[in-house]
Amino acid sequence: MSDVRVRFAPSPTGFVHIGSLRTALYNYLFAKKNNGTCVLRIEDTDQARFVEGAIENLIDTMEWPGISFDESIDNPGDYGPYKQSKRLDIYKKYVQQLMDEDKAYPCFATSEELEKMREEQIAAGQDPKYDGRYRDYPKDKAEQRMKTDQYVVRLKVPQTGETIVNDIVRGEVVFQNEVLDDQVILKSDGFPTYHLANVVDDHLMKITHVIRGEEWLPSTPKHVLLYQFFRWDLPQFAHLPLLLNEDRSKLSKRQGDVAVEDYRSKGFLPQALVNFVALIGWSPGDGTDQEIFSMEELIEAFSLERVNKAGAVFDISKLEWMNGYYIRTLDEGQLVEFLQPFLEDAGIDTSDKEKTAKICLAVQKRIEKATDVKTAAKIFINDVLEIDEKEALDILKEETARAVLETFLEKVNTLGHLDSDAFKPVMKEIQKEKGIKGPFLWKPVRVALTGAESGPDLPLVIDVFGKEKVCSFVQQALEKYV
RNA sequence: GGUCCCAUCGUCUAGGGGUCUAGGACACCGCCCUUUCACGGCGGCGACAGGGGUUCAAAUCCCCUUGGGACUACCA
């Protein structure tokens, strides 16, 4: 084991954002690549946002694509607890230290008071900012009020000088201290804010690399200040580019699915999602054009230096292509296992294992996600032939269509059993006898059986249908549409 | 508004001074394979935001402009 330690530190607010998945993945890949340790820490310092069952869901959702943690609530290491709400005493101790050293101070302003202050600043054309009203409040007075009044603790940010953030992805980023707020580090309910908790925990948990979303970059100087106040070594920072909506705003719920759970329930394969998400904001370089990566290959190829700076649009159509690609690589057993629940959801009886497998094979090359079976497999549950598409109807209107279908019906009726092996010779015979071939021969049969001009490979369809249904449908086509 | 980040085909990206008439993938279009439908194969369309520098030479380095984004809570 090298001493690389990284952490994925989500707040359990209900569902796992696809951007969180990528952050977790990059942390995981970086840890594995460097023989390091990947820690899962739950950032639940906001009581107002507590969601029942969120932590369990989070762990389950991360396991699904194969992201595992070396240390977590379930699997504690030497640096627990791994849940911030269980570390309150730790934070208090460090807040006290900061106050003792005059690097933090209590602030008795109420939320209403601050809100009013902000409004006045805006009205006066100023930039809203905490005005430091309790920054130099007399210590003895403050200590008295702390016994009775509600207060928060604020960081005493230096009013001059600059704070430099060194970032693996972005290089050196300089912030003037004067623009930094006196950040609240301890809330009036006794819980720390993210800023304090993540610094204390990262230090105590010996985190060497902080890999997180770019939205944290603006608050990083406050974190750096905290490290300096505590006289702790800084971790390395790597701020990842954001995942974007189509309109290039931060990927949000409003514009489509953002939860990993959504993609799971829509029938995306975990390996496809991992592969796709890895390639948003990172590429292997080295002149390779490789786009398909297993988790092992990603680990091998990954490096933070090759993470992109610019935000990236989450392009679902490419994800769908990639998922379709992975579906096509599944063997029969894997395919059936994957598709079966979705077939059931679509109202298809899967009790006949053999038939279910045939349906799966028939649709395999035609779907990009498992929920596509709903339309792709529709033809297998219809008992009555219905044709809506004009293109399909036109095919049955071809001069030769009637002859094809009538002959087909005659020949099939003489057969004891119809399957794909018996089907092909029948078509061959019709071709020879009637001199009709190609699309003119096959398409009328396709339309008669499936009601559409495109669908699964016909022999595969016939394997699923069997003689009786085939004859019934051709009969119906002749009666209703030819 | 302020602070910070970013900028190559519609999208994801390769490119880190000359090998770029800018490569790949998705999407789209066409052709081929296929006695059907797909899959697949081949090809086409399509970008260095603009302007200044630096340099013999810039997509690549610097500056400005423009554009986009994030942050600006007792949320993370």
Side-chain angles (χ1 to χ4, degrees), chain A residues 339-360:
Chain A
L339 255 25
Q340 184 155 353
F342 294 90
L343 286 171
E344 282 164 15
D345 277 353
I348 294 170
D349 176 19
T350 60
S351 54
D352 182 340
K353 290 226 175 315
E354 209 177 315
K355 186 176 169 185
T356 302
K358 283 175 179 169
I359 291 175
C360 290

Side-chain angles (χ1 to χ4, degrees), chain A residues 17-300:
Chain A
H17 192 278
I18 198 85
S20 298
L21 174 69
R22 194 199 46 177
T23 301
L25 178 65
Y26 283 18
N27 271 285
Y28 175 80
L29 294 176
F30 183 73
K32 294 299 141 196
K33 168 76 180 184
N34 294 287
N35 273 304
T37 304
C38 190
V39 177
L40 173 66
R41 184 175 69 223
I42 304 298
E43 309 237 331
D44 58 345
T45 55
D46 185 3
Q47 298 168 295
R49 293 215 289 179
F50 176 78
V51 176
E52 187 71 42
I55 296 177
E56 293 71 20
N57 174 256
L58 185 131
I59 292 170
D60 176 56
T61 303
M62 300 308 301
E63 271 174 6
W64 174 64
I67 296 173
S68 58
F69 299 96
D70 302 298
E71 294 174 21
S72 69
I73 299 178
D74 294 344
N75 181 26
D78 300 332
Y79 305 92
Y82 290 87
K83 189 178 178 180
Q84 291 185 328
S85 57
K86 297 222 169 120
R87 302 171 62 84
L88 264 27
D89 291 344
I90 299 173
Y91 308 125
K92 285 207 173 115
K93 184 185 124 198
Y94 285 103
V95 168
Q96 190 52 243
Q97 181 187 329
L98 250 21
M99 286 201 287
D100 291 345
E101 296 182 12
D102 198 32
K103 285 163 178 162
Y105 60 93
C107 168
F108 301 95
T110 62
S111 303
E112 295 74 36
E113 197 180 333
L114 292 173
E115 186 51 41
K116 200 175 154 223
M117 174 198 78
R118 243 188 303 271
E119 278 168 20
E120 284 168 2
Q121 287 170 335
I122 292 169
Q126 298 169 324
D127 296 325
K129 190 188 171 189
Y130 176 69
D131 60 2
R133 54 184 63 185
Y134 286 97
R135 192 180 162 102
D136 299 311
Y137 201 63
K139 262 207 154 155
D140 51 335
K141 269 177 141 181
E143 271 165 31
Q144 274 309 315
R145 285 188 70 178
M146 282 167 72
K147 288 174 187 158
T148 52
D149 295 8
Q150 286 241 314
Y151 65 95
V152 300
V153 177
R154 288 181 182 272
L155 193 64
K156 203 165 193 173
V157 174
Q159 289 169 316
T160 57
E162 57 189 34
T163 298
I164 295 171
V165 175
N166 251 301
D167 191 278
I168 295 173
V169 177
R170 279 147 225 289
E172 196 172 87
V173 185
V174 182
F175 295 84
Q176 297 304 314
N177 290 338
E178 59 185 313
V179 304
L180 267 27
D181 253 1
D182 278 1
Q183 187 67 48
V184 171
I185 56 174
L186 191 73
K187 302 184 248 182
S188 56
D189 63 4
F191 277 67
T193 59
Y194 170 86
H195 308 288
L196 191 265
N198 107 84
V199 167
V200 169
D201 288 347
D202 285 345
H203 171 72
L204 261 22
M205 295 180 179
K206 294 193 161 53
I207 299 303
T208 56
H209 299 258
V210 172
I211 305 167
R212 76 223 310 186
E214 193 193 346
E215 68 266 32
W216 294 108
L217 190 55
S219 54
T220 306
K222 294 166 188 170
H223 306 161
V224 171
L225 245 16
L226 240 9
Y227 281 100
Q228 290 171 352
F229 286 170
F230 284 123
R231 294 175 291 277
W232 291 340
D233 287 340
L234 283 164
Q236 300 243 61
F237 291 103
H239 286 95
L240 273 20
L242 260 20
L243 259 38
L244 272 25
N245 292 310
E246 224 167 311
D247 67 359
R248 304 204 78 86
S249 58
K250 187 173 166 181
L251 189 63
S252 67
K253 226 174 185 172
R254 277 246 163 258
Q255 304 187 31
D257 294 321
V258 295
V260 174
E261 296 90 318
D262 291 334
Y263 290 91
R264 185 178 185 174
S265 64
K266 278 199 171 174
F268 286 87
L269 286 161
Q271 59 269 43
L273 198 56
V274 162
N275 192 156
F276 178 68
V277 141
L279 257 22
I280 307 183
W282 172 84
S283 67
D286 264 352
T288 176
D289 286 337
Q290 186 177 351
E291 300 241 35
I292 300 298
F293 289 86
S294 65
M295 187 69 96
E296 290 66 35
E297 290 172 318
L298 286 173
I299 291 168
E300 181 54 36

Side-chain angles (χ1 to χ4, degrees), chain A residues 457-469:
Chain A
D457 185 44
L458 227 31
L460 293 177
V461 171
I462 285 182
D463 266 338
V464 178
F465 276 23
K467 181 182 166 184
E468 201 180 318
K469 185 168 176 180

